[in-house]
Amino acid sequence: MVGADEGDDLATAPASYAAATLLVDASGAVAAWSSNAERLLGYPAEEVIGQPVGALLAAEERQRFPAYARKSREEEAWVGLLSARHRDGHESRLRVRVCSLQKGGEDRTWLVIAKNLSRSPGWYMSRPVIERMISQSPIGTAVVDTDLRYVWSNAALERFGGGSLERRLGRRLGEVQPGIDVERLEDQMRQVLRTGQPIIDYEHTGHPRSDPRHEHAHSLSFVRLEDEDGRPLGVYYTVIDITDRYRALRRLTLLDKASKNIGRTMDILRTAQEAAEVAVPDFADAVNVDLLEAVTKGDEPAPGPIRGASTIRLRRSGRCSVTPPPGSDISVEVGELAVYHSWSPPIRCLATGESWIAEEMDPQEPVWSAGVQAGRTLRFGDFGFHTAMAVPIRARGVTLGVATFFRGRQTDAFDRGDLRLAEEFLGRAAVCIDNARRYTREREAALVLQRSLIPRGLRGQGAVEVASCYRPADDMAGVGGDWFDVIPLSGAQVALVVGEVAGQGIEAAAIMGRLRTAVQTLADLDLRPQDLLAHLDDLVVRVSREGSAGHQASGEKALGATCLYLIYDPVTRRCSMASAGHPGPVILKPDGTVDYPQLPGGPALGVSGLPFDSAELLLEEGSILALYTDGLLIAGEDDREAERTEGQGRLGQALTSFRGAELESLGQAVVDELVPGRPVDDVALLLARTRALGPDRVATWELLTDPAVVSRAREMATRQLSQWGLDELIFSTELIVSELVTNAIRHASGPLNLRLIRERSLICEVSDSSSTSPHLRHARTTDEGGRGLFLISQLTDRWGARYTPKGKVIWTEQPLTPEGVGR
């Protein structure tokens, strides 16, 4: 249909250029004739109205007129060029637009608009003009017939190789361009011939004859050529070289792929392998990534190029190829040492810090590796490689290693553009590798510190049988301050402690070490659990204030630390415990039932300054106490309290399920059951099976505060040692008992108690109602007294005092031989 804009333009055009309009009825006769039509062709209206419109056309156009009419009826509109006969006999070339004035049906009237092209420069171009324009176009253009054989091409197409038009005529595309995918291109041509739909901007890559060693990209467009009846005559196509755009896109694609796929983990070898996999197969056929051995361990390499590069130790950290190369049975695998000849390009790259490229390699050149077995000389021709590059891996001014690239299947040789691309994407990979190296160093340091502070030997006491399981988090963020300890106390008692410092990393582990040391020191004072936590709370507050004054984050990390402290007495089987924001233990009883004791809620350390309270339980012999950190129960951060409660239930079920196992195996089984392979937080589990000291191992006497009772105390102690078969300790024990009872009578009041305990050592205790503490003195030669405690310190392994609500207890420990322990 004619647009309104066009009609407006025609109405305002000069008469010599104005369009002529006429109406044609359904029979093809002229029904109306305008004055412009008369000026255009010279016929007055009375001569043409009622006459067939085809009579106005030139002789050659009359033969094609039926086709034009049929096309107009099918499409309800038609636009084209026609030659009309003027009344004076000359022909006029017209641009004609025909459109129907009614929709559908056979009885339709047609509007015809015609314009004289000879009077409108730019509307009409002769065939010589068009041929000259196409032949001189910088865009490669060609025409093939329905058999896809060349019938015409312009000079611009010769730039792609394949020769001139004379060499192309009658040939197929594959005969003039064997280095491209002819089948795909001819499929596009056949599709255009079959459907008539043009294909625009079809991109294709190949190796044209003009540059067979390098891959080029082209954009092709295909259009079907038809005769007047719409029958296909062939295909007209154009070719544009888009290699620069293609290579730029490939570069961006590779860099985008590198940014998405390199550095997804903090594992050095995995990151190096990701770098190799990014480059294969789109950029290279084989890639090796070799890192300095120090880098793979997380150590800091020296800045700048490497001195003495020929003796440097490289470790294969990444490797990828399209297919296993020949000789792969002797090639260097990931994780193995990669040894190169001193003259090889990788060593030169390390020494100079500069990249190396060989666009065409000698097939007879020996491989660079110096680790090939004797008698087997491999050459690059054996692998099919014909071009190679070696690029140093550098980040932050430090050389981390070298990467080598090879092509064999890809026929394109590496060029300087490829070298720049390799350097750019390896630059990004190097930052990821260096980040992984730094992470490895920090994580190893944190783990070493953390593990050095976690006790390995949990022996030295007989009150409980203990086993532990510690599993660090897989990620750096999970290396934190989880800790536990088993501390022998006086009177055969034992302290079990577990705690967790808020935060992660080396600082959290260091804070954990300070807290653990403080707990051990405070435990030596034989403080009650609630008193020990109060002192520990004061320490955390002080550390926090010191850190704030020094603007150190470590002080803040100490705040919010949690701790559970528990004391078990095997003589009374009583267990007292207090918590500073830490979950209580889970207890597996000998009959298989599980108890979840409720402790008085205590605040986390350094948070509120509120007092702590304790709870006391009577345990059956053989009960298993499970102390743990949150990592055993909690998998995430959502609703930790609810997850902790559910986790305690799962812990109890796991203890019940595996209760028949040895204690060490029980701990491993429980952690494997509750903790995934890669925990999000550190996991610490301490298991303690209680023991009891029966009456046959404990002797207790109540004494009066009378000096005469000293000899009686020595006699009772001697008699008890004889019954236990510890005669070798009678002499020293008499001296100890005599000194302790004498001091109690002299300095205290009220009833005295003497207790002997045969455990891993012989324990002698004297309790009184006084709260004064004895002090070791260094008596002068002329002093008559003051040597008692000095003698005790020489006769015992250790001695000390602990305070009770009713007074104090002075205690000593003497070592027992294995025979004495077992008696």
Side-chain angles (χ1 to χ4, degrees), residues 527-603:
L527 298 175
R528 297 179 302 172
Q530 62 269 36
D531 296 332
L532 183 143
L533 291 181
H535 284 286
L536 193 62
D537 185 71
D538 293 339
L539 172 65
V540 169
V541 172
R542 186 168 67 253
V543 168
S544 174
R545 290 174 179 172
E546 291 173 357
S548 299
H551 303 286
Q552 297 177 0
S554 58
E556 297 180 0
K557 287 183 178 291
L559 294 175
T562 64
C563 182
L564 173 66
Y565 187 79
L566 177 153
I567 297 177
Y568 173 68
D569 187 345
V571 177
T572 62
R573 294 187 288 108
R574 292 194 174 277
C575 178
S576 58
M577 62 190 77
S579 170
H582 203 89
V586 175
I587 302 175
L588 176 64
K589 297 181 179 180
D591 61 2
T593 59
V594 179
D595 187 19
Y596 306 92
Q598 298 297 316
L599 302 185

Side-chain angles (χ1 to χ4, degrees), residues 218-429:
H218 304 104
S219 174
L220 297 95
S221 296
F222 305 92
V223 178
R224 188 173 77 175
L225 298 178
E226 304 173 353
D227 62 13
E228 292 81 355
D229 297 324
R231 292 188 296 267
L233 298 175
V235 175
Y236 163 88
Y237 73 86
T238 59
V239 184
I240 301 175
D241 192 321
I242 58 170
T243 302
D244 291 342
R245 186 180 73 183
Y246 171 75
R247 290 178 178 174
L249 180 61
R250 187 178 67 167
R251 170 183 171 275
L252 294 175
T253 301
L254 181 65
L255 295 178
D256 180 66
K257 185 178 179 182
S259 65
K260 290 181 179 178
N261 294 281
I262 300 177
R264 291 178 294 182
T265 69
M266 282 297 180
D267 182 270
I268 296 176
L269 296 185
R270 181 61 214 161
T271 303
Q273 181 64 28
E274 289 169 349
E277 292 173 353
V278 162
V280 177
D282 296 331
F283 183 68
D285 292 331
V287 176
N288 294 324
V289 178
D290 300 315
L291 299 178
L292 302 180
E293 189 172 30
V295 172
T296 62
K297 296 178 180 179
D299 297 337
E300 184 80 32
I306 299 175
R307 297 179 179 178
S310 60
T311 60
I312 201 71
R313 291 170 66 89
L314 292 170
R315 193 166 293 277
R316 180 62 47 83
S317 304
R319 174 188 176 193
C320 189
S321 61
V322 290
T323 57
S328 58
D329 57 319
I330 59 172
S331 60
V332 181
E333 298 294 336
V334 172
E336 297 178 351
L337 284 176
V339 183
Y340 289 103
H341 292 291
S342 58
W343 50 262
S344 64
I347 297 300
R348 274 189 280 169
C349 285
L350 293 174
T352 64
E354 297 179 355
S355 301
W356 171 91
I357 184 173
E359 296 188 14
E360 186 172 358
M361 298 180 65
D362 182 0
Q364 297 304 312
E365 181 180 346
V367 296
W368 302 329
S369 175
V372 179
Q373 299 174 359
R376 299 191 65 176
T377 301
L378 287 178
R379 306 183 185 278
F380 280 107
D382 299 329
F383 294 82
F385 297 144
H386 61 84
T387 184
M389 295 188 301
V391 181
I393 302 173
R394 294 175 55 80
R396 303 180 177 100
V398 173
T399 300
L400 306 175
V402 62
T404 50
F405 301 81
F406 303 93
R407 282 180 182 171
R409 286 188 172 185
Q410 298 186 44
T411 57
D412 278 11
F414 286 124
D415 57 22
R416 292 293 169 179
D418 293 322
L419 185 62
R420 289 192 296 269
L421 177 56
E423 289 173 340
E424 186 170 356
F425 111 78
L426 276 181
R428 301 189 181 191

Side-chain angles (χ1 to χ4, degrees), residues 497-535:
V497 57
V498 63
E500 186 170 3
V501 174
Q504 294 82 29
I506 293 180
E507 290 182 336
I511 292 295
M512 175 267 286
R514 296 184 66 175
L515 294 182
R516 177 171 179 256
T517 302
V519 169
Q520 290 176 333
T521 302
L522 293 172
D524 279 343
L525 300 177
D526 283 305
L527 298 175
R528 297 179 302 172
Q530 62 269 36
D531 296 332
L532 183 143
L533 291 181
H535 284 286

